[in-house]
Amino acid sequence: MNFRKGRAPAEPEINLIPFIDVLLVVVIFLMVTTTYSKFTALQVTLPTADAEKALRQPREINVAVDAQGRYAINNVRIAARNAAGLADALKQAMPPAAAAGAGTAAPEDDPVVIINADAMAAHQTVINVLEAARQAGLAKVTFAAQSSTR
């Protein structure tokens, strides 16, 4: 039998106190287990530069490496496939003033070797160019890249 006729059933309500207690425990757990450390190995402050355009354009030796491992120096294909053959070709491609005193001339007179390597070129072919530049006495080496257009 229902003795409570005329009375509306009590509305259930959510007790928020235990819910807040559980949330505080979770927040404390997260704060304790979180690490607040930086993941940088070195603290480096990078220098800034306001460079002006060079008064003299440095002499350049352009070395191209294609995906098949073939080389070209100053847009002239060469047959060499190893570092020694490349070094000989680099010495022949040097401007006359630099070739006369390879390694003994003033550093600003040294030609710059620009390596234009195909994106699919083998790593060893690029290393061969670097080794050939070292054998030829050319200390200034740089890589050419194209900017990505987005």
Side-chain angles (χ1 to χ4, degrees), residues 123-138:
H123 185 70
Q124 184 61 48
T125 58
V126 177
I127 296 299
N128 286 345
V129 177
L130 292 171
E131 177 64 18
R134 186 192 63 79
Q135 289 176 4
L138 299 168

Side-chain angles (χ1 to χ4, degrees), residues 1-65:
M1 287 176 112
N2 188 0
F3 294 112
R4 294 187 182 202
K5 289 189 182 197
R7 276 185 158 192
E11 296 251 347
E13 60 182 64
I14 298 174
N15 193 354
L16 292 178
I17 306 272
F19 181 67
I20 292 171
D21 290 343
V22 170
L23 284 180
L24 284 175
V25 169
V26 170
V27 167
I28 291 171
F29 174 76
L30 290 175
M31 288 176 60
V32 169
T33 58
T34 303
T35 58
Y36 296 105
S37 62
K38 291 184 179 180
F39 292 104
T40 57
L42 298 173
Q43 294 295 330
V44 177
T45 303
L46 297 176
T48 59
D50 294 325
E52 295 179 13
K53 189 168 179 148
L55 298 176
R56 289 188 328 150
Q57 186 70 13
R59 292 180 294 223
E60 299 175 347
I61 299 174
N62 287 299
V63 180
V65 182

Side-chain angles (χ1 to χ4, degrees), residues 59 61 90-91 94-113 132-140:
R59 292 180 294 223
I61 299 174
L90 283 173
K91 287 177 185 175
M94 272 195 240
T104 60
E108 57 271 357
D109 293 337
D110 289 343
V112 177
V113 177
R134 186 192 63 79
Q135 289 176 4
L138 299 168
K140 295 181 180 179

